[in-house]
Amino acid sequence: MTIRILPAIGDPDAARAVSSLLHQLPDAEPAPAVADSAALLQALAGAAAQGAGAPAAGAPPAAGQPSAVEALPEVVLVHERIGPTPALELIREVALRFPAVGVVLITTDAGPALFSAAMDAGARGIVGMPLGYDELAARVQAAAQWSAGVRVHLGGSPEAAPGPAGTLVTVTGAKGGVGTTVTAVQLALAARAAGRSVALVDLDLQSGDVASYLDVQFRRSVVDLAGIQDISVRVLQDAVHDHHTGLGLLLAPEEGERGEEVDDRAARQIIGALRSRYEVVLVDCGSQMQSANAAAVELADLALLVTTPDVVAVRAAKRQVRLWDRLQIRKAEDTTTVVNRLTRNTEIQPPLVAKATGTQVARTHVPAAFKELQPCVDAGRMQDLDGRSTVKQALWALAGELGLVDAPAARQGRGSHRARPTLTGRKRKAITPGAAPGSGAVPGPASGAASGAGPGSGTRFGGRRGPAAAAGGQGPFDPSGEG
């Protein structure tokens, strides 16, 4: 969002200093400074009248008219030596006549008494002199976000919606070793290849491996942002590593014990700052729930739970979902399970995973093909994974299913039988036809009358492979068990 800023500064030296800093702010559009209070009120009234289409330039804006606030600047900077109207009275008048404008006071006295008086007058913040980039950036962005929220409530443009705009996706493992980090990295690379700005955050705070998978050595980590109250743009840029693939990486600390410094409050603040700067924020939450990654899962637009199709992993996924529900972090129906390392010979198929966990299961499943991954994993260069890899094709198709890439990019990996990933890496016609998709029955020779395991043969969840299914008994996995 572009932040329009109007400085009201009578001192020429202070005006030059403020203008120089404002032009360094990202997404800022500073206007030339006005020299006195009368010029400020006239400029604001003229902008409001122009937006509302009123002929009188000096008339106050109609706050109820949506277009009346669209032409107003988001932030007004008022210097303490402005005249002829005293600064606090000017702030009060701006707040009353133009309630959609965030006002920030620039002063040499940033003590509690003046701060309280400025807040009572309607200011949204105070910047002390001499001016500093970080403090000015933080106050301007806070005032702009507040202004955007007010404009929505006043009926302004929906494009000025407050709060973070980026899509937050969390990737959590049912247990260790199910492919959580590989999934997060490839989804981030797919979104970046689609032209979106992407931040990849490693919130597996004790044993995060994003740096190892992308061959990164960087001394900053998410812990460096934990103790900062107002995360400015420059502070965020210092902590985020710009990877040559175009990803912004916020890594886990090398010293795992330092992960305790990142609590839920810090995680929310860090994620909020990232979402305001990136279109997609992908968070690798690992498999151990802590307050930081629990907060990320709670805030997520898409919460992915990665599991493998085996009894231990699916039971772990079920425990994870129940934990989230007990702690009121996320409901099972709002969670999407990704089945990794799936083969057509696996007894536990995606419909059974969905029934056991109560979650939605992604339509795109990732095949078991570790030989494709091993050279890139050993080299620590997951970004070099061959585009012909069935694992990469599946994960990029998953990114398209989740809406992280545009529709054409999603179709690129799924547009034909040759490009479409299969469970075995073979041609589509090599898969034995079975039940219709979504029926819950597993395709293969074990289903149907030939196997003796039809719908009424005594199996609990339909025909399945193996002697137990053929005999009508219960298989080795009981999703109703407590695991």
Side-chain angles (χ1 to χ4, degrees), residues 360-380:
Q360 307 175 47
V361 173
R363 297 189 304 272
T364 305
H365 316 306
V366 185
F370 183 72
K371 288 184 178 180
E372 300 174 358
L373 296 174
Q374 188 168 6
C376 296
V377 171
D378 292 342

Side-chain angles (χ1 to χ4, degrees), residues 154-179:
L154 291 178
S157 172
E159 296 180 356
T167 301
L168 176 61
V169 182
T170 58
V171 185
T172 308
K175 67 180 191 66
V178 296

Side-chain angles (χ1 to χ4, degrees), residues 412-453:
Q412 184 176 357
R414 304 180 66 186
S416 65
H417 291 306
R418 178 174 297 179
R420 188 178 304 168
T422 64
L423 302 181
T424 62
R426 302 174 183 173
K427 293 182 179 180
R428 178 68 61 178
K429 63 181 181 180
I431 300 179
T432 305
S439 64
V442 179
S447 60
S451 64

